[in-house]
Amino acid sequence: MGSAELPSELIFEILSRTSLETLERCKAVSKSWKQIIYEPSFLPLHCQRTNSLFGYFFQDVRRIAKFPSALVSCAPGAAAAAAIKVTWPCDDMEILASCDQGILCCQRRICYNKRFYACKPATSQWQALPNPKLRYETDAVAIVVVRSTPLRYIIARLYHSETMQHHCEIFDSETWAWEKIECAAPYGEIIEYCRRAVTTAGRFFHWLTVNGNVLTLDVKRRSFRCSPLLQCDPACKWKELVEYEGELGFARMVEDGDRREMEVWVGAERKVVVDMRGIERALKHAQPVELCSSTVVFLRSADGGGFYNIQNGSFSRVEVPNELRNPKQVFRFRSDGEIIDLKGGPRRAFEPNSPTPDKIISSGLIRMTSLAMLFLFLGFSTISH
């Protein structure tokens, strides 16, 4: 029996019980399967049946090298979300990028140096990475999982030099090394500050530049292209790239007299129109803070705010720490609870509690202290004799 002969209700039931890894592959099977996976009712049910997490990491950016962050869950899996809150490190760990397979790329300042990490918060796993050449400050970072078994992920880091020209380094977990590639972006096409990358087709990273163009990196071919963003309206107050059902789109806020609308476009086609004034009145003057995805807006209000689904008009109130009610960055997060090998390669057994960066640093200090005490003891013994 071919997949076209299966009733859509049966396909929905099967897909809602499949693993997160398999689900990503199923999006490419057919257009009908892809539409089922992107239905508003599918994601909460899939999270419930597979005990997976879905939410957003909110992060603030402060001047004194502090980056307070927290996971705000918007689907079942409260126990796992609570465990992440306990094991998540302190404010000196900066989230740089996330992907839908539950892996984050982070950076931590240790004394006067910085260290890159890959981590899976759902299983409290951390893996220190080789550092790129950090002569210049990082402008943008993106991460994508290109293979799950054995795990292989790629991290792209963009930075610019004094010439205002972008440069790029790519880390491949398969080679466990960084490589520099040419970034053929026009002069001055700098990535907008605090803007995350949008990933499509598991191989393309897209960033919005200050000039309103889209900078795209093909991680498979190691090549760049720069293209103009369509639909520029004089009444547009802000715009942002989004993923819309697996394709690259963008959202914009249009204000013109009494009109205040948020629109989501894919190419030259307008997919979604939302009357923001109506939402703000209905939800006691709630203000939009961040477009978390093409269909979810985080709204801030006096009691903390929540997530508004612009497809079905539903609102999910959540508890957000006071310092993160107006986040500078929002990272989409989706993860299962499977322990993985962040170094890639053949699967190996792992201890349930992998060391966090705090434990890694603490254990290093303990070893250094033990060695120092040993040398002092040997020195005193030599003097006494």
Side-chain angles (χ1 to χ4, degrees):
M1 180 181 291
S3 61
E5 302 175 20
L6 292 174
S8 59
E9 295 83 2
L10 181 57
I11 296 175
F12 185 98
E13 288 295 315
I14 293 172
L15 293 178
S16 66
R17 289 175 168 83
T18 191
S19 67
L20 191 59
E21 173 186 339
T22 306
L23 192 64
E24 291 300 313
R25 300 177 183 176
C26 291
K27 293 178 182 178
V29 171
S30 68
K31 187 175 181 180
S32 61
W33 283 32
K34 183 179 176 181
Q35 290 175 342
I36 289 173
I37 293 171
Y38 282 103
E39 285 184 12
S41 61
F42 179 84
L43 183 56
L45 184 61
H46 179 266
C47 290
Q48 181 180 1
R49 288 178 170 177
T50 60
N51 195 29
S52 57
L53 276 170
F54 177 64
Y56 300 89
F57 269 98
F58 285 16
Q59 179 171 261
D60 197 4
V61 180
R62 300 180 181 177
R63 292 182 179 178
I64 314 175
K66 295 295 182 182
F67 307 93
S69 59
L71 173 65
V72 179
S73 178
C74 54
I84 290 177
K85 292 180 181 179
V86 173
T87 59
W88 189 245
C90 51
D91 294 350
D92 59 352
M93 180 66 72
E94 179 185 7
I95 302 173
L96 301 176
S98 67
C99 63
D100 271 350
Q101 286 77 15
I103 300 177
L104 306 181
C105 178
C106 302
Q107 178 180 261
R108 187 174 198 177
R109 184 180 295 275
I110 303 174
C111 297
Y112 296 101
N113 299 316
K114 294 179 180 179
R115 184 74 188 187
F116 271 57
Y117 291 90
C119 75
K120 186 172 183 179
T123 54
S124 301
Q125 288 180 263
W126 292 84
Q127 176 61 56
L129 303 177
N131 268 356
K133 296 179 181 178
L134 295 173
R135 178 182 176 186
Y136 299 107
E137 287 292 327
T138 301
D139 289 332
V141 174
I143 181 172
V144 66
V145 173
V146 296
R147 185 182 63 224
S148 299
T149 309
L151 178 67
R152 182 189 179 190
Y153 54 92
I154 291 176
I155 300 171
R157 171 183 175 261
L158 293 184
Y159 62 97
H160 68 275
S161 59
E162 296 92 342
T163 61
M164 301 300 289
Q165 183 72 31
H166 264 307
H167 303 277
C168 180
E169 289 180 293
I170 288 183
F171 173 79
D172 192 331
S173 65
E174 191 169 64
T175 61
W176 206 249
W178 293 85
E179 62 174 308
K180 185 177 179 179
I181 65 172
E182 293 297 324
C183 180
Y187 175 83
E189 291 294 340
I190 304 300
I191 304 299
E192 286 194 346
Y193 178 65
C194 286
R195 292 299 181 186
R196 64 185 184 276
V198 174
T199 306
T200 58
R203 59 180 283 190
F204 297 104
F205 294 144
H206 311 272
W207 292 276
L208 190 63
T209 71
V210 293
N211 295 328
N213 294 321
V214 179
L215 187 63
T216 300
L217 167 63
D218 184 343
V219 297
K220 184 177 181 180
R221 295 185 176 180
R222 303 290 202 267
S223 62
F224 278 89
R225 70 173 184 269
C226 190
S227 55
L229 185 66
L230 302 178
Q231 307 300 328
C232 293
D233 192 321
C236 177
K237 296 302 179 183
W238 62 261
K239 53 187 176 293
E240 183 174 335
L241 297 181
V242 294
E243 179 205 6
Y244 186 86
E245 296 185 355
E247 299 181 60
L248 177 65
F250 75 96
R252 68 180 187 179
M253 185 73 73
V254 178
E255 296 184 9
D256 187 8
D258 292 336
R259 175 188 172 208
R260 188 162 187 255
E261 296 177 340
M262 187 178 68
E263 304 172 340
V264 178
W265 292 75
V266 176
E269 183 179 357
R270 187 170 63 176
K271 297 288 188 178
V272 179
V273 180
V274 182
D275 179 12
M276 295 306 300
R277 293 194 185 277
I279 294 176
E280 292 161 12
R281 287 193 297 268
L283 297 174
K284 298 180 181 180
H285 307 287
Q287 296 291 322
V289 173
E290 180 77 19
L291 183 68
C292 301
S293 68
S294 59
T295 58
V296 177
V297 184
F298 177 71
L299 302 175
R300 181 185 68 235
S301 62
D303 54 357
F307 296 102
Y308 181 83
N309 190 309
I310 61 181
Q311 278 190 331
N312 55 23
S314 62
F315 181 72
S316 302
R317 196 173 303 278
V318 294
E319 293 184 8
V320 181
N322 291 331
E323 68 273 15
L324 295 174
R325 289 186 179 180
N326 191 18
K328 292 294 188 298
Q329 295 170 314
V330 178
F331 299 90
R332 173 172 163 151
F333 180 74
R334 191 171 182 187
S335 179
D336 56 27
E338 296 294 325
I339 295 176
I340 59 174
D341 184 354
L342 288 171
K343 283 189 175 181
R347 292 184 178 272
R348 298 191 295 270
F350 280 84
E351 295 295 329
N353 298 318
S354 297
T356 64
D358 293 320
K359 294 179 181 177
I360 293 171
I361 295 170
S362 298
S363 60
L365 290 174
I366 291 171
R367 286 195 297 269
M368 291 175 63
T369 304
S370 301
L371 288 171
M373 292 179 67
L374 178 60
F375 288 142
L376 285 173
F377 174 76
L378 291 175
F380 281 125
S381 299
T382 305
I383 293 171
S384 62
H385 288 291

